[in-house]
């Protein structure tokens, strides 16, 4: 006869052998999360705004032709998916970026012409606007030229330039009649384009002479 097996005492039993490669269950390590759980999205309410600023930086450096979703995301230091999350297309990004640029320039028009006490002061304000503001910053000058060129083919951007011109004329009409304001605005744009494209741009004194000659 075989010897009867002694009954096991109650309580925890010793663990049996585990399959090779397995690990005992225990608390999850720091930073881990259950499989399938989503990573919490970082709260970044200013991301869309930064992407528009980054688009202006890329346009100034590479031109509209060299501006891509990937390059804008790189400059803004955000994931590429942020571009399609915040914008429906690259055209929308360009329109918003150029609108921001145009609004900034239009504000300078407003400030210069609002501060002029009379017509003579307004003439000096226009001269300073061209020589110091519009031609003073190379990136802004390049952005203006890029906008002009892109608007020639893109109706959405042409709407941006039209709104910009309307606002500029409105500022000029503080001191000049509507016809003069429209023609003066065209002269200002011509002076900007000439300076951007010429290898021998007009000097500040030549710009002063041109504006005085037209407004005398």
């Amino acid at each position: 006869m075989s010897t009867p097996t002694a009954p096991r005492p109650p309580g925890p039993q010793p663990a049996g052998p585990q399959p090779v490669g397995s690990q005992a269950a225990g608390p999850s390590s720091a930073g881990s999360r259950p499989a399938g759980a989503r990573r919490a999205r970082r709260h970044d309410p200013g991301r869309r705004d930064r992407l528009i600023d980054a688009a202006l930086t890329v346009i100034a450096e590479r031109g509209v032709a060299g501006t891509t979703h990937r390059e804008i995301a790189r400059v803004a230091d955000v994931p590429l998916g942020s571009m399609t999350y915040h914008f429906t297309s690259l055209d929308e990004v360009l329109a918003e970026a150029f609108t921001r640029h145009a609004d900034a320039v239009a504000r300078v028009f407003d400030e210069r012409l609002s501060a002029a006490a009379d017509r003579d002061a307004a003439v000096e304000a226009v001269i300073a606007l061209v020589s110091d503001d519009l031609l003073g910053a190379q990136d802004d000058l390049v952005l203006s030229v890029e906008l002009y060129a892109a608007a020639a083919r893109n109706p959405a951007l042409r709407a941006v330039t039209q709104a910009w011109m309307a606002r500029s004329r409105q500022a000029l009409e503080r001191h000049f009649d509507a016809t003069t304001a429209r023609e003066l605005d065209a002269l200002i744009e011509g002076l900007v384009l000439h300076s951007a494209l010429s290898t021998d741009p007009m000097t500040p004194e030549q710009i002063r002479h041109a504006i005085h000659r037209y407004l005398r």
Side-chain angles (χ1 to χ4, degrees):
M1 292 180 65
S2 60
T3 306
T5 304
R8 245 176 223 182
Q13 302 301 313
Q18 297 183 10
V20 177
S22 68
Q23 295 181 355
S28 55
S29 59
S32 66
R33 60 185 186 277
R38 284 188 173 186
R39 184 187 301 273
R41 179 176 288 165
R42 187 177 68 180
H43 182 61
D44 189 4
R47 178 170 294 188
R48 191 178 193 279
D49 195 60
R50 292 205 319 277
L51 286 168
I52 295 172
D53 282 340
L56 286 172
T57 298
V58 175
I59 295 167
E61 290 177 353
R62 297 173 174 264
V64 170
T67 299
T68 63
H69 283 92
R70 186 176 300 278
E71 190 62 16
I72 294 170
R74 182 191 68 78
V75 171
D77 192 25
V78 299
L80 179 59
S82 294
M83 290 297 297
T84 52
Y85 177 81
H86 288 288
F87 304 98
T88 59
S89 66
L90 186 59
D91 278 348
E92 182 186 3
V93 183
L94 294 175
E96 294 215 26
F98 278 128
T99 296
R100 177 166 297 183
H101 169 68
D103 285 347
V105 177
R107 279 195 300 274
V108 176
F109 265 72
D110 289 337
E111 291 166 4
R112 287 282 190 188
L113 275 300
S114 295
D118 53 30
R119 192 179 190 278
D120 288 342
V123 172
E124 292 302 315
V126 171
I127 294 168
L129 176 71
V130 176
S131 298
D132 300 338
D133 300 323
L134 299 181
L135 301 181
Q138 181 64 25
D139 280 357
D140 287 342
L141 180 59
V142 170
L143 286 171
S144 295
V145 175
E146 286 288 335
L147 173 54
Y148 292 146
R153 295 186 178 88
N154 188 324
L157 295 182
R158 197 149 56 245
V160 174
T161 58
Q162 184 61 39
W164 180 9
M165 288 187 287
R167 191 167 163 188
S168 299
R169 292 170 194 165
Q170 186 177 26
L172 292 168
E173 285 173 16
R174 293 175 183 270
H175 301 279
F176 309 101
D177 64 79
T179 299
T180 301
R182 184 185 183 106
E183 293 171 353
L184 181 56
D185 187 45
L187 174 61
I188 291 169
E189 290 177 358
L191 290 170
V192 169
L193 283 171
H194 181 276
S195 294
L197 303 177
S198 176
T199 58
D200 182 26
M202 294 173 68
T203 65
E205 191 54 42
Q206 289 171 328
I207 291 172
R208 170 180 290 276
H209 179 265
I211 293 172
H212 269 296
R213 183 171 184 176
Y214 173 71
L215 292 174
R216 68 184 177 189

